[in-house]
Amino acid sequence: MNHSVPGADRRIPVLLPAAARRSLAIYNLLFPVFFLFLLPGYLVRMFRRGGYRGKFLQRLGMYCAADRQELQQGGWTWIHSISVGETLLALKVAREIRRVEPHRRIFLSVTTSTGYAVAAPAAGEWLAVIYNPLDLRSIVRRALALVQPSDLIFIEAIWPNLLAEAKKQGITTGFIPRLSPRSERRFGKVAWLVAPIFGLLDRVAAAEPADLPRWQSLGVPAERITVTGNSKFDSAAAGESRAEEFQKLLAGAGVSPGAPVLLGGSTFPGEELILAELYLQLRTNFPGLLLIVVPRHAERADEIVRELRAVDLQIVRRTALGDATGFVQNAKAPDVLLIDSTGELRDWYQLATVVFIGKSLTATGGQNPVEPVLAGKPVIFGPNMQNFEPIVSQWLSADAALRVSDAEELKQAVQALLADPSRRTAIAERARAIALAHEGATYRTVQVLLGRA
């Protein structure tokens, strides 16, 4: 069967501008230094997450016979991702591409083993999943020579050599960006270096109108930027829900139907203990209260168990639940359910009563607050939600979310929401109405990235 995309073999090689060649020369001079500097921390994360031995050579652009046979079929749209959050977005985009153009075949590459674990179950006839090749010219050239994609789409991060080599080969390049204030300040300080690289992009699908001048200042021509809305905030193409399955798991673990659930989503170190201590103070007034903790990095599970056992809580791991057959129906419910698996957060949100957004109290930037809102849940977050400031500001202005400054305020906010169902509903409905402005963003993004709009 011929899976090629029309026009894919009519690429016109491109000579990179002098400024881009200069920036790449500097990047390739500095990359080995930074790589060696970051390597120890990277190796530690690899060991913690596990799975680092599997398909390791793919990171060097080397593939087994079966992979080579599949990848050489051609006609691929290459989506380049990083870790779990980016990969979930990449899968959403991949499904939408396949929906609007059923002949398309998607080649999804990821950096981390956790990202791979999220993507791998979706692999099939039209979707291949591999690890990203290291961003060295010889390696990315080898990968591109094998895959020969018709399009290359970056999710939230650009790899300069891969972008440049694709551009030189006439491969259409697209970008779904995320530009935090911190990243913008950093890029702004070296705009002379990064602007020529960003300027190589053919199509950029920006989330907000305010992103237009920001990306223009970083080198992307205005005519290549289109505001599509934020695909992360779009409930379309999200895949099937597992909420009903998870509800059965809770029942098997002894959690009563209708029991209140406080869920900490994508938590960072320190936040789990804050939630546990809060739980101890609240459970007297809210019998049956369950705390569900979903750490941003599942490999921290052992560390979290040790920390929470010190405050005398009964903890059950998600991986111990399996299909709930290991529990006797109506057994005593645990105090804490620790989600030590990946890619399930969206569906656990649907079982929550109140949601705390992680990386907002003990770390900066915040995690995606829209998924629980789309599930109809009220959200609380700390003072550090910089990565989602536009929609957070809208929510706060409309009394559609709660922002707290410390653990004591978090306790008061959770207690108030648990005690007031009508307020929970009102807050969640107002937040969801604002978030729905991004409905259809995935479709619009795909239209732009495929040159259909």
Side-chain angles (χ1 to χ4, degrees), residues 247-248 250-261 287-288 290 329-331 333 351 353:
Q247 186 68 66
K248 292 178 180 177
L250 291 185
V255 177
S256 301
V261 175
L290 173 69
Q329 195 72 25
N330 298 321
L351 305 184
T353 308

Side-chain angles (χ1 to χ4, degrees), residues 66-133:
D67 288 337
R68 292 183 66 85
Q69 183 177 3
E70 181 178 25
L71 298 177
Q72 284 175 327
Q73 294 180 35
W76 297 100
T77 291
W78 183 345
I79 302 182
H80 180 281
S81 180
I82 305 295
S83 190
V84 174
E86 298 85 1
T87 301
L88 290 170
L89 175 56
L91 286 170
K92 184 186 292 188
V93 171
R95 293 187 186 102
E96 185 64 13
I97 290 175
R98 181 70 177 182
R99 189 186 70 80
V100 301
E101 294 193 4
H103 66 276
R104 291 266 180 173
R105 303 178 74 230
I106 313 297
F107 166 66
L108 173 57
S109 62
V110 301
T111 297
T112 67
S113 57
T114 50
Y116 191 92
V118 168
E125 185 272 331
W126 62 271
L127 179 69
V129 179
I130 71 162
Y131 281 102
N132 280 320

Side-chain angles (χ1 to χ4, degrees), residues 14-17 20-21 24 160 163-165 167 171 173 195-203 219-221 224:
V14 174
L15 176 65
L16 300 185
R21 297 198 302 271
L24 284 165
L163 170 60
E165 293 300 323
K167 185 73 173 179
I171 297 168
T173 59
I197 302 298
F198 287 126
L200 298 177
L201 290 161
D202 295 308
R203 300 161 184 163
V220 183
R224 300 183 194 173

Side-chain angles (χ1 to χ4, degrees), residues 192-260:
W192 61 273
L193 178 64
V194 301
I197 302 298
F198 287 126
L200 298 177
L201 290 161
D202 295 308
R203 300 161 184 163
V204 175
E208 304 280 351
D211 291 334
L212 281 167
R214 301 170 74 199
W215 283 107
Q216 283 180 256
S217 70
L218 293 176
V220 183
E223 65 273 14
R224 300 183 194 173
I225 310 172
T226 305
V227 177
T228 60
N230 196 320
S231 295
K232 276 190 171 180
F233 301 167
D234 181 11
S235 60
E240 295 183 4
S241 170
R242 299 177 63 189
E244 184 176 347
E245 171 194 346
F246 293 169
Q247 186 68 66
K248 292 178 180 177
L249 291 178
L250 291 185
V255 177
S256 301

Side-chain angles (χ1 to χ4, degrees), residues 15 27 54 83 127 133 151 154 181 193 205 244 285-286 318 352 397-398 440:
L15 176 65
Y27 170 78
S83 190
L127 179 69
D151 309 85
F154 291 94
L193 178 64
E244 184 176 347
N285 293 331
F286 300 96
R318 159 69 179 96
S397 297

